[in-house]
Amino acid sequence: MPKIKFILFLFLLILINFKSNTAEKFYIVYKVNNEIITNSDIEKEYRYLVSLNNQLKNLEKQKIIKLSKESALREKIKKIELIKYFDLKTINIDIDNYLENFYKNLNIRNKNEFEEYLESNNISLNYVQKKIEIEILWNQLIYDRYISQINIDRNQLKEKVKKLISTKKQKKYSLSEILFDKENNSNFEKKLENINQSISEIGFKNTANIYSISDSSKFGGKIGWIEEQKLSTKILEQLKALEVGQYTSPVQVGSSFLILKIEEIKYENAIINEDEELNKMIQFETSKQLDQFSKIFYRKIKINSFINEL
């Protein structure tokens, strides 16, 4: 009988210890309206961000955790807003093209290799697919709300196409970006100083992860190849004065500021179909304006959200 009591006592002790450890491992980090973000969510976001930019491993862990918290919070706020317009449980979205672009940004050749890569970082493909779905639906929401407010100067774009046709070579820039807000006049110079210092210390890619408010930040600011004629005059003036590896001074884009780094430059034979090129420019300009509306709308719903960090 004493032996049985001892076994029961030992079992209870193990159970209490297990519950105690479990309680320590799981806790709420944020309450956003009626939703929660847990430390488990932050840990997943941490692994996800590092898998998109391995250079983040070179940063202090607390900085990556801070990034992960901000990223998880941003997605939660978007998701809460999307629920008002879409049934996220039943909606069916074809994400194959988006997924392909996603893993090609990481220089991964196919879906199978991407899945293996994610597994090596303890992330499921389904987790990434859900994130892509949220971004697709968010972009759809922004399009529906703001497409009527897009203002395109077609005549100006036609002139750009004619100028391009007259050239024999087309110049392209591979660019990375840091997009940041001016919170108030007094701290703009300080923020810019911090960004420049960060670029000097940890590189442009990691600095984009930390400071950029653009969706490209999760890829270290990478935006890929852009034809010269699609860039605004004020941006192009700066880029022409730079060499590969250098970056621009801040250029005002709406209410935000943009820093661009030249990763590569190449020239291609300019075989241009006028109508196709015009449509490409219109789509590019439309996407750029919708992106500005997206940031404005997000800031608005964030301000109106009840966010409690625990």
Side-chain angles (χ1 to χ4, degrees):
M1 192 69 176
K3 187 175 180 181
I4 295 173
K5 285 183 178 180
F6 175 75
I7 291 171
L8 285 172
F9 173 76
L10 189 61
F11 175 76
L12 286 172
L13 193 63
I14 292 170
L15 185 62
I16 291 168
N17 187 54
F18 173 77
K19 286 184 176 180
S20 175
N21 288 337
T22 303
E24 286 177 7
K25 289 180 181 177
F26 185 86
Y27 56 88
I28 296 171
V29 178
Y30 286 111
K31 283 187 178 179
V32 187
N33 296 347
N34 295 320
E35 301 272 345
I36 62 170
I37 299 173
T38 70
N39 63 315
S40 177
D41 298 322
I42 303 302
E43 287 167 12
K44 283 182 183 177
E45 197 69 17
Y46 179 103
R47 295 195 301 272
Y48 170 70
L49 292 177
V50 169
S51 71
L52 299 186
N53 177 13
N54 279 313
Q55 290 183 22
L56 283 176
K57 292 177 181 177
N58 300 325
L59 297 182
E60 296 173 14
K61 188 171 182 179
Q62 286 305 312
K63 283 188 176 180
I64 314 175
I65 290 172
K66 184 172 183 277
L67 280 177
S68 305
K69 289 169 70 174
E70 290 169 353
S71 180
L73 179 61
R74 184 163 55 248
E75 182 176 88
K76 179 67 73 175
I77 290 170
K78 287 183 177 182
K79 191 174 180 180
I80 290 170
E81 185 67 19
L82 288 172
I83 289 170
K84 299 176 184 177
Y85 306 93
F86 304 99
D87 185 346
L88 303 187
K89 293 180 180 178
T90 61
I91 196 164
N92 187 22
I93 304 172
D94 183 4
I95 68 166
D96 287 346
N97 290 334
Y98 296 92
L99 187 63
E100 183 177 356
N101 290 332
F102 196 91
Y103 61 68
K104 282 185 175 179
N105 259 329
L106 298 169
N107 297 317
I108 294 174
R109 291 177 298 180
N110 55 56
K111 187 177 177 179
N112 288 336
E113 284 187 11
F114 183 49
E115 190 164 11
E116 289 173 6
Y117 174 74
L118 292 174
E119 286 176 359
S120 71
N121 286 280
N122 196 20
I123 303 167
S124 70
L125 180 62
N126 184 62
Y127 179 76
V128 176
Q129 288 173 328
K130 292 296 181 186
K131 285 181 167 295
I132 293 174
E133 286 177 3
I134 288 171
E135 286 306 310
I136 291 171
L137 290 175
W138 176 263
N139 290 338
Q140 183 63 52
L141 175 61
I142 298 301
Y143 181 90
D144 293 341
R145 288 181 70 92
Y146 296 106
I147 189 60
S148 62
Q149 297 182 43
I150 298 299
N151 183 21
I152 305 287
D153 188 339
R154 295 177 69 93
N155 290 329
Q156 185 185 52
L157 295 182
K158 284 179 181 179
E159 287 301 315
K160 281 190 173 185
V161 173
K162 287 178 182 177
K163 185 178 178 181
L164 180 62
I165 290 173
S166 68
T167 63
K168 293 182 179 180
K169 290 285 186 180
Q170 184 180 32
K171 190 174 184 179
K172 290 185 175 182
Y173 292 92
S174 176
L175 301 171
S176 295
E177 67 177 351
I178 296 172
L179 185 71
F180 65 97
D181 279 338
K182 180 179 68 171
E183 294 165 9
N184 55 61
N185 290 327
S186 62
N187 71 4
F188 173 74
E189 292 301 330
K190 182 62 179 174
K191 188 165 190 176
L192 181 57
E193 181 185 334
N194 290 339
I195 290 173
N196 285 327
Q197 183 177 347
S198 178
I199 293 172
S200 176
E201 291 176 354
I202 62 174
F204 195 95
K205 195 171 183 179
N206 284 341
T207 301
N209 279 114
I210 295 171
Y211 286 98
S212 183
I213 60 171
S214 172
D215 289 338
S216 66
S217 64
K218 58 180 172 281
F219 293 106
K222 181 181 177 182
I223 54 178
W225 290 99
I226 297 180
E227 293 89 347
E228 183 180 48
Q229 70 275 8
K230 289 182 179 177
L231 299 166
S232 69
T233 302
K234 58 184 177 180
I235 287 175
L236 200 53
E237 284 175 355
Q238 286 209 46
L239 291 178
K240 284 182 175 180
L242 300 177
E243 297 179 358
V244 172
Q246 296 180 322
Y247 56 91
T248 66
S249 301
V251 177
Q252 188 160 5
V253 181
S255 60
S256 302
F257 287 84
L258 178 67
I259 298 173
L260 289 172
K261 179 188 176 187
I262 302 176
E263 302 291 351
E264 294 180 66
I265 298 174
K266 68 180 178 181
Y267 295 85
E268 294 181 347
N269 291 329
I271 303 171
I272 305 299
N273 179 295
E274 187 171 349
D275 290 336
E276 286 181 6
E277 193 62 31
L278 178 61
N279 286 333
K280 285 180 184 178
M281 287 189 180
I282 290 171
Q283 288 174 12
F284 182 81
E285 184 61 31
T286 300
S287 295
K288 191 167 68 173
Q289 292 186 33
L290 286 173
D291 191 51
Q292 288 300 311
F293 282 120
S294 173
K295 289 174 176 57
I296 292 167
F297 184 61
Y298 173 77
R299 283 195 289 265
K300 179 182 175 182
I301 62 172
K302 184 180 180 182
I303 289 170
N304 292 323
S305 298
F306 176 75
I307 302 168
N308 186 17
E309 184 172 5
L310 303 175

